[in-house]
Amino acid sequence: MPRTPLIAGNWKMNGLRESLAVVEAVGAGAPEGPDALLCPPTTLLAATAAVKGARLAVGGQDCHAAASGAHTGDVSAEMLADAGASAVILGHSERRADHGETDAQVRDKVEAAWRAGLLAIVCVGETLAEREAGRASEVVQTQLAGSVPDGADAARLVVAYEPVWAIGTGRRAEAADVAEIHAVARASLAERFGPDMAAATRILYGGSVKPDTAADLFALEDVDGALVGGASLKAEDFLAILRAA
Ligand code: PGA
């Protein structure tokens, strides 16, 4: 089953209003073919949605599980949708590390994203210690089992495999390792949700994806795009990755 590649940019805690020039440049230059998504900080979400153009979608970087209420500083999935988002990144390793997010909490956030009509991009990935202990596959399987709710389908779920040690380090995982974990992730989805769902669900790679490494990555059978941090902050780099997809 053909899967439309998705290139998602994660600006993390970067970007001021001046960064809207990057959004405009990406929106104007995005090629036809792959789905292009930018996830700016929440402060820029509505302004990004206003200037992005038709070829670019916009997403959040996290959401609360509840729709509204007494949760100072948090943002709900409904609020992201209201600001113009069509997707949200959930369970990023920086949130798991900085905020102690558990698989169960991520699962509740995915339910919230679906409730608000958002595509959920669920991040999984092992630490260096886990990889060196030979536990990478097992960690990814466990995170997927715990973070993805029942009833998942390819229209509402994207999985992002992001080895923690490759994020922001310039150290990309070897192609064989990426291929292996993506196959493991797809097999886990097939076992739980059936072969059709697994064949249709996009699995992105993330971790130091750059213009010069993107094409090799996208040539791998089970890699359906990328979650891009640092390189999504520069329009020309993000566009080069989009063109490689
Ligand atoms: P990076 O970040 O591309 O800067 O390594 C990827 C991510 O954390 O999503």
Side-chain angles (χ1 to χ4, degrees):
M1 181 173 302
R3 296 180 291 266
T4 305
L6 170 64
I7 309 300
N10 174 12
W11 279 10
K12 310 190 179 185
M13 199 171 72
N14 297 292
L16 302 172
R17 275 181 291 177
E18 64 192 21
S19 314
L20 293 170
V22 175
V23 176
E24 285 175 317
V26 171
E32 274 193 61
D35 289 344
L37 173 75
L38 264 186
C39 301
T42 310
T43 48
L44 290 181
L45 204 55
T48 296
V51 301
K52 67 182 182 51
R55 293 229 184 121
L56 188 58
V58 60
Q61 300 177 9
D62 175 51
C63 71
H64 195 278
S68 64
H71 303 289
T72 302
D74 280 314
V75 172
S76 73
E78 282 76 2
M79 291 169 178
L80 296 177
D82 186 52
S86 57
V88 59
I89 299 167
L90 295 171
H92 190 283
S93 62
E94 286 153 14
R95 294 212 54 91
R96 292 177 187 262
D98 294 357
H99 301 274
E101 283 188 13
T102 64
D103 288 333
Q105 286 169 331
V106 175
R107 189 188 56 224
D108 289 346
K109 291 175 179 215
V110 176
E111 299 270 19
W114 292 348
R115 185 185 65 217
L118 301 178
L119 174 73
I121 302 175
V122 175
C123 302
V124 296
E126 82 284 0
T127 62
L128 188 56
E130 288 164 342
R131 171 154 289 273
E132 285 174 345
R135 296 185 49 229
S137 298
E138 171 205 329
V139 167
V140 165
Q141 284 167 323
T142 303
Q143 288 179 332
L144 272 180
S147 304
V148 176
D150 290 339
D153 60 63
R156 299 188 298 168
L157 177 76
V158 167
V159 173
Y161 168 54
E162 299 205 304
V164 176
W165 48 272
I167 294 175
T169 58
R171 200 177 148 190
R172 186 165 70 76
E174 297 296 329
D177 294 333
V178 176
E180 182 193 349
I181 299 293
H182 278 238
V184 163
R186 202 175 300 286
S188 297
L189 294 176
E191 200 175 305
R192 184 164 163 208
F193 300 107
D196 292 350
M197 182 279 188
T201 300
R202 293 174 291 185
I203 304 178
L204 314 183
Y205 171 79
S208 297
V209 176
K210 306 291 177 210
D212 58 331
T213 57
D216 286 352
L217 204 53
F218 299 153
L220 299 172
E221 188 186 322
D222 282 310
V223 174
D224 307 309
L227 183 51
V228 184
S232 71
L233 293 165
K234 283 195 195 143
E236 62 270 34
D237 285 358
F238 193 58
L239 285 169
I241 294 169
L242 272 165
R243 284 191 294 267

